[in-house]
Amino acid sequence: MNKPFNKRLLSLLLGWNGLFAAARLQAHPNAGRYGDKLRTSRIVKYTFIILVVLSTLSTFTSIVIGVDNLVTLSFGEYFTYQLLPPSVLAIALYALMAKRDAAKAWSYGAIVFLLGSLSGILILSLIMQKLYSPPTWFIELPLSLASAMIGTLIGIKWGIKNATAV
């Protein structure tokens, strides 16, 4: 049985996320019960999960390859062994995050990306005891930004597809 469309709740949604919220509200009228507020606990949780999982993967690949061998890798090997696996994993994590709340996925994704990046720089700088920027930042930053954006897009499409299929 089709539930009535909640137009009053939909009228509260503003901005370009409104299209995704409209699709979700048609399938699940109670989907916007938290309003336009972003949940801080969700932001902290996803930032922590993404930071820990990606750090663990990077540490594991560095141990497997060997820290001394990283210097001798060609760019193709470095990209394949050190940059591609975290990017694919980040796409999956951002997609899962965006799937849970397609209406606010871009906001969550941007905040989690910024907090995760700043936390990573802060933690690395504390370990190095100086402000540290990796020499490959001009490759890693656009790649991680693209991973976050692609993962968020996939998650939004996935979330809307699941919401309309119900």
Side-chain angles (χ1 to χ4, degrees):
M1 178 158 208
N2 228 349
K3 294 182 180 180
F5 186 68
N6 194 339
K7 290 185 181 190
R8 188 174 63 190
L9 185 59
L10 181 62
S11 67
L12 297 174
L13 299 171
L14 300 173
W16 61 300
N17 281 340
L19 175 65
F20 301 115
R24 186 166 178 173
L25 284 174
Q26 285 177 352
H28 300 289
N30 293 328
R33 66 181 175 266
Y34 296 110
D36 283 339
K37 288 186 172 183
L38 297 177
R39 294 178 42 193
T40 307
S41 61
R42 185 175 288 170
I43 292 169
V44 170
K45 177 177 72 172
Y46 281 113
T47 301
F48 180 75
I49 289 170
I50 288 173
L51 189 65
V52 167
V53 170
L54 291 180
S55 297
T56 303
L57 178 64
S58 294
T59 302
F60 176 74
T61 55
S62 294
I63 289 172
V64 169
I65 294 170
V67 178
D68 296 333
N69 294 335
L70 287 175
V71 177
T72 61
L73 293 177
S74 68
F75 177 74
E77 292 171 330
Y78 178 76
F79 183 81
T80 303
Y81 299 135
Q82 281 296 111
L83 298 179
L84 193 59
S87 296
V88 171
L89 185 58
I91 289 172
L93 292 172
Y94 277 99
L96 287 174
M97 180 185 67
K99 178 189 177 282
R100 285 200 59 197
D101 194 350
K104 297 177 244 174
W106 286 113
S107 300
Y108 278 120
I111 293 171
V112 167
F113 178 78
L114 288 173
L115 282 177
S117 298
L118 292 175
S119 299
I121 291 170
L122 179 67
I123 291 169
L124 191 57
S125 294
L126 287 174
I127 291 171
M128 301 286 288
Q129 295 180 350
K130 67 176 184 175
L131 184 60
Y132 181 75
S133 156
T136 56
W137 71 267
F138 60 92
I139 297 169
E140 293 174 6
L141 183 63
L143 188 61
S144 59
L145 182 61
S147 298
M149 292 173 68
I150 291 169
T152 303
L153 278 173
I154 290 170
I156 288 170
K157 297 290 184 190
W158 188 15
I160 291 173
K161 185 177 181 181
N162 285 349
T164 56
V166 173

